[in-house]
Amino acid sequence: MLCIAGLLMALAAPVAGVSPAAFDTAGMIRGEQALRAYAQGRLLEDQGQLRDALGAYVRALGLDHTAMPVARHIAETLYRLGDPSSAIDYADKALALAPNDPGSLWVKGGALMDMGRYPEALDVMVACVDADSSRIEYAQSLARVGESLDRPDVVARAYGIAVQLDEDDGENWFQLAAAQVRLGRFQAAERSLDRVAELAPSRPGQIFLRGFVDEQLGHADQAIARYRAHLEVHSGDQLTRQRLVTLLAREERWADALAEARLVAKAKPRDWDAVAAVAELALRAKRTPEAEASIRTLTSLAGDDLEATGRLATLLVRAGRKAEGSRLADTWASRHAPDPAGVLLSARIRMFAGDEEAALPFARRALAGQPDSLFPRLMVARIHTNAHRYEEAERVLSEGLAQGADSVALMLELGGVRELRGDLPGAETVVRQALAQEPQNPRAQNSLGYLLADQNRELPVAERLVRDALRQEPNNGAYIDSMGWIFYRLGRLLEAREQLERAVALTNGDPVVREHLGDVYRDLKLLAEAREQYQQGLARDSGNVRLKAKLAALRP
């Protein structure tokens, strides 16, 4: 251990090739007494006597008020002693002398986090990493505040720095992959997980996360295999098993999905969703007695509850038993005749069944009984919109706006109607009005961003708007489609492809999204893939003249 004289010599000795700014004593400590007090503090700190060290540092700073390293050491010592408020005060003294000193910024950021002042801590830790990105502890502290604020973009940046500093740390790669997944950067996450598999193959959670990435990238078979591998180790993880059920059902592997759904229902025998999954999958798998038994359980669970009755009726319709679903809704409505919610339920179930004209009288009755209510008005308008009666839909929505109903929701609906009519200026006007009322409304942000992209105008503005929407709803397929379409307009075809492939999966193959992806494939000269997207879009929207023309143009 160094004596004080030796420590003084070590602190004062020059080092060849290193600038004075690199020393812990950068800015120098003026005066022998101040330097001796500082050296004594370092020695006491090395011995673990933090309170005595603090006293020595305070004496040193009193002798030289311009000694930034001393102020920083006081801040560090106070932080280690559990006094974050005082640590911030002294970190600020150090930063007044050296505004970009990363060590002082790090102490201040950590103290702010300990006090729960996360937004302030974020600004400080960003400045710390900007000043010095060579220290892994700085990057990890930035990641910590990013996690506390639910900012996956910050977390991804921090762990991106961490893996550059230590390429062989599997945990940092895993945390980077997790943040990339939350940001929807699935291809990047796939590459990060490849490194995890190399460096930490037994790291818990990586098999599930890899399965989730495969699912989002459309690799259903690999995702199913990985979910099953995860469940072999974690058989009680019912959330993963439910994901597996959903994925198997999406692939129309009804018997496999039913087998997994039974396990979920066995673990949660009175859980509505678990029993409903068994009922629906049993119907799909032609296991009628099992389906009927589950439907009886659901009927018992529903009792006289409106929402549960609606969910059961929806299940029946989705399983092809439309008349039975409608009768169930009507029975509830007749038993609760004074309640306008019953009429609305009858309308909603018929609309879900695709019988919109039959739903219209019920929706009108619901609107007449509740003229200030938003949902029946939207339902009436959407029925007219789906029947291409755009003027009637606009009239219903305009009436609601004149009566002062939920204006933003009605404005956005009206914007969609005008867009379908081809009145893009009118659509843009009303969407901008909605955004002016609620600047952070993600649906309004996405609507304006998409309108601008569709017109190939103000693309940087469109990108900013849709990014803001995605920060709030990162897995919204419509918003991801908008971002992909913006990238396409900007000529960033590979980024557009990544976004739109994911959007197709999330929107269950929406024809518009398939058309967008087909356009990207076409411009990438992937003509077979483009043709497939146009064909699948036409299978869902057989009257789409634009899709027919694009498909015809690809034929040899």
Side-chain angles (χ1 to χ4, degrees), residues 6-177:
L7 183 56
L8 282 169
M9 292 178 63
L11 290 170
V15 179
V18 180
S19 103
F23 283 102
D24 183 52
T25 53
M28 301 305 294
I29 300 173
R30 297 181 302 182
E32 185 176 341
Q33 285 185 310
L35 189 57
R36 282 183 177 276
Y38 175 68
Q40 184 184 29
R42 292 294 300 272
L43 189 60
L44 291 165
E45 182 179 353
D46 187 53
Q47 294 172 343
Q49 300 179 50
L50 294 184
R51 293 196 177 279
D52 291 337
L54 178 62
Y57 289 145
V58 170
R59 286 195 301 275
L61 190 63
L63 292 165
D64 181 2
H65 296 291
T66 66
M68 184 279 295
V70 179
R72 184 179 65 202
H73 271 288
I74 294 173
E76 290 171 349
T77 307
L78 286 164
Y79 184 50
R80 292 173 66 188
L81 287 168
D83 186 355
S85 179
S86 298
I88 291 170
D89 291 339
Y90 277 92
D92 283 338
K93 292 180 187 296
L95 290 167
L97 297 165
N100 295 316
D101 177 59
S104 301
L105 289 165
W106 185 48
V107 173
K108 181 177 180 179
L112 286 167
M113 279 191 277
D114 284 1
M115 296 176 71
R117 294 160 61 180
Y118 295 109
E120 296 170 78
L122 175 61
D123 291 338
V124 173
M125 287 311 309
V126 167
C128 172
V129 172
D130 286 345
D132 184 358
S133 59
S134 67
R135 299 281 294 272
I136 200 163
E137 62 266 33
Y138 294 173
Q140 289 172 334
S141 293
L142 178 60
R144 185 158 68 94
V145 71
E147 290 285 8
S148 298
L149 289 170
D150 194 24
R151 286 284 302 276
D153 55 324
V154 173
V155 177
R157 181 196 173 195
Y159 280 113
I161 294 169
V163 298
Q164 289 177 12
L165 296 173
D166 184 357
E167 295 184 353
D168 297 325
D169 188 319
E171 181 60 26
N172 285 340
W173 280 106
F174 181 83
Q175 297 299 336
L176 174 60

Side-chain angles (χ1 to χ4, degrees), residues 59-395:
R59 286 195 301 275
L61 190 63
L63 292 165
D64 181 2
H65 296 291
T66 66
M68 184 279 295
V70 179
R72 184 179 65 202
H73 271 288
I74 294 173
E76 290 171 349
T77 307
L78 286 164
Y79 184 50
R80 292 173 66 188
L81 287 168
D83 186 355
S85 179
S86 298
I88 291 170
D89 291 339
Y90 277 92
D92 283 338
K93 292 180 187 296
L95 290 167
L97 297 165
N100 295 316
D101 177 59
S104 301
L105 289 165
W106 185 48
V107 173
K108 181 177 180 179
L112 286 167
M113 279 191 277
D114 284 1
M115 296 176 71
R117 294 160 61 180
Y118 295 109
E120 296 170 78
L122 175 61
D123 291 338
V124 173
M125 287 311 309
V126 167
C128 172
V129 172
D130 286 345
D132 184 358
S133 59
S134 67
R135 299 281 294 272
I136 200 163
E137 62 266 33
Y138 294 173
Q140 289 172 334
S141 293
L142 178 60
R144 185 158 68 94
V145 71
E147 290 285 8
S148 298
L149 289 170
D150 194 24
R151 286 284 302 276
D153 55 324
V154 173
V155 177
R157 181 196 173 195
Y159 280 113
I161 294 169
V163 298
Q164 289 177 12
L165 296 173
D166 184 357
E167 295 184 353
D168 297 325
D169 188 319
E171 181 60 26
N172 285 340
W173 280 106
F174 181 83
Q175 297 299 336
L176 174 60
Q180 289 166 331
V181 164
R182 292 174 64 195
L183 291 168
R185 301 171 184 167
F186 296 111
Q187 291 179 333
E190 187 175 38
R191 293 190 292 271
S192 297
L193 287 168
D194 285 341
R195 291 290 288 149
V196 178
E198 294 172 17
L199 298 167
S202 60
R203 203 282 181 196
Q206 69 164 305
I207 296 175
F208 167 80
L209 192 61
R210 191 58 178 267
F212 184 81
V213 169
D214 284 332
E215 181 182 351
Q216 301 307 310
L217 290 174
H219 307 152
D221 289 342
Q222 294 96 311
I224 289 167
R226 287 197 165 98
Y227 287 153
R228 282 180 164 159
H230 172 84
L231 287 166
E232 285 179 6
V233 180
H234 306 282
S235 60
D237 183 356
Q238 300 306 331
L239 290 176
T240 297
R241 198 175 299 279
Q242 286 172 318
R243 288 206 71 87
L244 178 57
V245 170
T246 301
L247 184 54
L248 288 165
R250 191 185 306 157
E251 295 298 301
E252 299 186 1
R253 293 170 57 174
W254 307 121
D256 289 342
L258 177 59
E260 299 291 346
R262 288 181 187 132
L263 294 175
V264 177
K266 183 178 180 181
K268 300 188 288 186
R270 300 294 292 176
D271 181 85
W272 176 281
D273 291 326
V275 178
V278 172
E280 187 165 357
L281 290 167
L283 287 169
R284 299 282 190 181
K286 312 299 184 186
R287 307 287 178 84
T288 304
E290 185 176 6
E292 294 298 342
S294 297
I295 289 171
R296 286 194 294 273
T297 300
L298 291 172
T299 302
S300 173
L301 289 173
D304 211 32
D305 182 79
L306 170 64
E307 181 182 351
T309 301
R311 293 174 71 187
L312 178 54
T314 300
L315 183 153
L316 292 167
V317 169
R318 196 163 50 237
R321 296 163 67 162
K322 298 180 181 180
E324 190 174 344
S326 296
R327 281 197 302 273
L328 182 63
D330 292 347
T331 299
W332 193 97
S334 66
R335 287 204 309 266
H336 304 80
D339 190 340
V343 180
L344 191 59
L345 175 64
S346 293
R348 181 162 58 86
I349 296 304
R350 284 170 171 80
M351 192 172 179
F352 182 73
D355 194 356
E356 293 181 326
E357 293 305 317
L360 185 57
F362 290 95
R364 281 176 169 158
R365 280 172 55 196
L367 180 57
Q370 297 177 290
D372 296 331
S373 181
L374 177 65
F375 191 69
R377 186 171 296 279
L378 287 174
M379 182 179 290
V380 171
R382 285 174 188 171
I383 291 172
H384 288 307
T385 299
N386 292 343
H388 308 292
R389 298 191 292 263
Y390 301 124
E391 290 184 4
E392 187 64 19
E394 185 161 347
R395 182 191 64 77

